[in-house]
Amino acid sequence: IMFALHDELAKVTDKWGLKRGHSISVTGAKHLTTEEYRRDLTDQCTTLEGQIEENKKILKQLYSDIRFAEKRVKGLTTMTLNLEQRKEALEKEIASVNEELKNGKGNSEVLHERIKKLDNDLQKVLDNLADKQAKLAHANEQLDELKSLKDEVKELTNQYQQQLRISTSNLTQQVRFRLADALFDDLIREFKLILPTLSPGTQDSLDDYLLQDMAER
């Protein structure tokens, strides 16, 4: 009988764009009391708020780590550039001394000693440069990872905030629905009492209004 009443009511309310919901026997939904639903939503809001605050702390730390990583990358980049310039200068100097030696300019023994010293200096620069380049590559990887993690946490925080807005809205709507439900019976009952006392013209003006249909049926 209740299903049949729902079918009849759906026909009446259809012209106002109100659609019948799906049966619990189909959806398998579990009925919650008002207090259970409100408590679940409140707990959900509290959990989301906690997750948002935790993510804000993580983001704050990530921003600090990113600033430190950027400074490290900048410092290593400067050192690498300086070492590359030093390497080029030594290579030019070695080439110049070799040219002097080839052309027989200056003391051969002195030139050989100078080339040996320059080669040693160049090797130290090359070793140092390789070390700084490796550290710079690692620092860049760390910086990229931190930025990627920051974006992920930021996106997750936005999702939590969106879920919180929805949950808060649902909680507010549920309160409104419960208030409306509590007032609905009184509204219909009072309208049914008032309707017969209205003039015929006034009653006719209420035709095709949902309130009159509900009161009459």
Side-chain angles (χ1 to χ4, degrees):
I1 294 173
M2 184 61 70
F3 282 133
L5 287 175
H6 284 184
D7 292 337
E8 290 300 318
L9 180 60
K11 294 176 183 177
V12 175
T13 59
D14 184 62
K15 57 185 174 183
W16 286 284
L18 302 177
K19 303 298 181 183
R20 180 179 175 180
H22 298 292
S23 171
I24 292 179
S25 62
V26 176
T27 63
K30 179 184 177 182
H31 175 72
L32 297 176
T33 65
T34 304
E35 179 58 27
E36 287 174 333
Y37 186 76
R38 185 196 64 78
R39 186 170 58 249
D40 286 350
L41 280 176
T42 302
D43 290 344
Q44 190 179 77
C45 289
T46 301
T47 300
L48 287 170
E49 287 171 350
Q51 290 171 327
I52 289 170
E53 287 305 313
E54 184 63 27
N55 277 20
K56 285 181 178 179
K57 292 178 184 177
I58 294 173
L59 279 173
K60 184 178 180 181
Q61 183 60 49
L62 282 172
Y63 279 120
S64 177
D65 292 344
I66 286 172
R67 285 193 296 271
F68 178 80
E70 287 174 337
K71 289 179 181 178
R72 178 170 172 76
V73 167
K74 184 177 180 180
L76 286 168
T77 300
T78 300
M79 286 188 281
T80 300
L81 289 174
N82 290 337
L83 286 168
E84 287 176 343
Q85 291 173 356
R86 176 61 177 158
K87 168 178 164 289
E88 290 177 4
L90 285 170
E91 287 174 340
K92 287 181 180 180
E93 191 173 355
I94 290 172
S96 176
V97 175
N98 276 321
E99 187 66 23
E100 289 180 16
L101 186 62
K102 180 181 177 181
N103 294 330
K105 295 180 181 181
N107 187 297
S108 174
E109 186 177 345
V110 172
L111 292 175
H112 277 294
E113 284 297 320
R114 189 178 174 188
I115 289 173
K116 183 178 179 180
K117 182 180 182 305
L118 289 171
D119 281 338
N120 287 334
D121 291 344
L122 178 60
Q123 188 58 51
K124 289 179 182 178
V125 170
L126 290 173
D127 291 341
N128 199 3
L129 179 59
D131 177 65
K132 293 298 182 292
Q133 286 174 332
K135 288 180 178 178
L136 177 59
H138 182 61
N140 273 316
E141 289 178 2
Q142 287 183 321
L143 180 57
D144 289 340
E145 288 175 1
L146 285 170
K147 288 182 176 180
S148 177
L149 183 58
K150 181 259 297 180
D151 291 338
E152 290 177 8
V153 174
K154 197 171 182 180
E155 175 61 27
L156 192 59
T157 303
N158 290 335
Q159 291 178 12
Y160 287 153
Q161 289 173 334
Q162 177 64 18
Q163 290 175 19
L164 179 59
R165 283 192 291 269
I166 293 173
S167 296
T168 303
S169 175
N170 287 343
L171 188 58
T172 303
Q173 288 178 1
Q174 188 60 209
V175 172
R176 289 175 179 169
F177 291 155
R178 298 304 178 182
L179 285 172
D181 186 55
L183 294 173
F184 186 73
D185 286 345
D186 288 342
L187 178 65
I188 295 298
R189 183 169 55 253
E190 290 173 1
F191 185 77
K192 287 174 70 174
L193 293 174
I194 294 172
L195 188 60
T197 67
L198 300 178
S199 65
T202 303
Q203 291 186 27
D204 292 341
S205 67
L206 295 175
D207 286 346
D208 294 326
Y209 276 79
L210 175 61
L211 188 60
Q212 180 165 330
D213 270 357
M214 294 295 291
E216 291 179 346
R217 303 193 185 198

Tab-separated table of all heavy atoms in Angstrom, residues 69-79 136:
chain	number	residue	atom	x	y	z
A	69	ALA	N	66.195	23.922	-0.492
A	69	ALA	CA	66.682	23.182	-1.666
A	69	ALA	C	67.015	24.130	-2.813
A	69	ALA	O	67.997	23.927	-3.530
A	69	ALA	CB	65.633	22.161	-2.105
A	70	GLU	N	66.205	25.176	-2.984
A	70	GLU	CA	66.470	26.160	-4.046
A	70	GLU	C	67.790	26.897	-3.789
A	70	GLU	O	68.550	27.169	-4.724
A	70	GLU	CB	65.302	27.140	-4.139
A	70	GLU	CG	64.049	26.524	-4.768
A	70	GLU	CD	62.855	27.470	-4.727
A	70	GLU	OE1	62.836	28.382	-3.872
A	70	GLU	OE2	61.930	27.285	-5.537
A	71	LYS	N	68.035	27.224	-2.515
A	71	LYS	CA	69.304	27.891	-2.180
A	71	LYS	C	70.484	26.965	-2.457
A	71	LYS	O	71.530	27.399	-2.946
A	71	LYS	CB	69.299	28.302	-0.708
A	71	LYS	CG	68.353	29.452	-0.382
A	71	LYS	CD	68.385	29.792	1.091
A	71	LYS	CE	67.416	30.924	1.414
A	71	LYS	NZ	67.405	31.238	2.869
A	72	ARG	N	70.327	25.690	-2.125
A	72	ARG	CA	71.388	24.715	-2.373
A	72	ARG	C	71.648	24.565	-3.868
A	72	ARG	O	72.801	24.534	-4.310
A	72	ARG	CB	71.008	23.367	-1.756
A	72	ARG	CG	72.034	22.263	-1.993
A	72	ARG	CD	71.721	21.045	-1.149
A	72	ARG	NE	72.593	19.915	-1.499
A	72	ARG	CZ	73.857	19.803	-1.143
A	72	ARG	NH1	74.417	20.756	-0.416
A	72	ARG	NH2	74.567	18.745	-1.498
A	73	VAL	N	70.597	24.488	-4.660
A	73	VAL	CA	70.751	24.387	-6.123
A	73	VAL	C	71.447	25.634	-6.663
A	73	VAL	O	72.343	25.535	-7.517
A	73	VAL	CB	69.373	24.204	-6.793
A	73	VAL	CG1	69.477	24.420	-8.301
A	73	VAL	CG2	68.819	22.809	-6.505
A	74	LYS	N	71.042	26.795	-6.164
A	74	LYS	CA	71.657	28.050	-6.626
A	74	LYS	C	73.140	28.088	-6.290
A	74	LYS	O	73.981	28.469	-7.120
A	74	LYS	CB	70.944	29.226	-5.982
A	74	LYS	CG	71.431	30.585	-6.476
A	74	LYS	CD	70.634	31.709	-5.839
A	74	LYS	CE	71.139	33.071	-6.334
A	74	LYS	NZ	70.368	34.184	-5.708
A	75	GLY	N	73.486	27.673	-5.049
A	75	GLY	CA	74.887	27.670	-4.642
A	75	GLY	C	75.718	26.696	-5.459
A	75	GLY	O	76.830	27.038	-5.911
A	76	LEU	N	75.211	25.493	-5.671
A	76	LEU	CA	75.934	24.488	-6.454
A	76	LEU	C	76.065	24.909	-7.918
A	76	LEU	O	77.081	24.633	-8.561
A	76	LEU	CB	75.222	23.135	-6.354
A	76	LEU	CG	75.372	22.400	-5.020
A	76	LEU	CD1	74.397	21.233	-4.933
A	76	LEU	CD2	76.808	21.897	-4.834
A	77	THR	N	75.023	25.569	-8.424
A	77	THR	CA	75.074	26.058	-9.815
A	77	THR	C	76.185	27.090	-9.972
A	77	THR	O	76.957	27.064	-10.948
A	77	THR	CB	73.727	26.686	-10.213
A	77	THR	OG1	72.698	25.700	-10.111
A	77	THR	CG2	73.770	27.213	-11.640
A	78	THR	N	76.293	28.012	-9.001
A	78	THR	CA	77.343	29.036	-9.044
A	78	THR	C	78.731	28.400	-8.966
A	78	THR	O	79.639	28.763	-9.737
A	78	THR	CB	77.168	30.024	-7.872
A	78	THR	OG1	75.888	30.652	-7.967
A	78	THR	CG2	78.250	31.088	-7.889
A	79	MET	N	78.898	27.435	-8.046
A	79	MET	CA	80.194	26.753	-7.919
A	79	MET	C	80.545	25.992	-9.192
A	79	MET	O	81.704	25.994	-9.628
A	79	MET	CB	80.166	25.804	-6.716
A	79	MET	CG	80.240	26.511	-5.374
A	79	MET	SD	80.435	25.373	-3.976
A	79	MET	CE	78.749	24.805	-3.788
A	136	LEU	N	74.801	18.680	-7.784
A	136	LEU	CA	73.800	19.572	-8.368
A	136	LEU	C	72.656	18.778	-8.982
A	136	LEU	O	71.477	19.128	-8.811
A	136	LEU	CB	74.450	20.461	-9.434
A	136	LEU	CG	73.512	21.419	-10.191
A	136	LEU	CD1	72.805	22.363	-9.223
A	136	LEU	CD2	74.293	22.201	-11.248
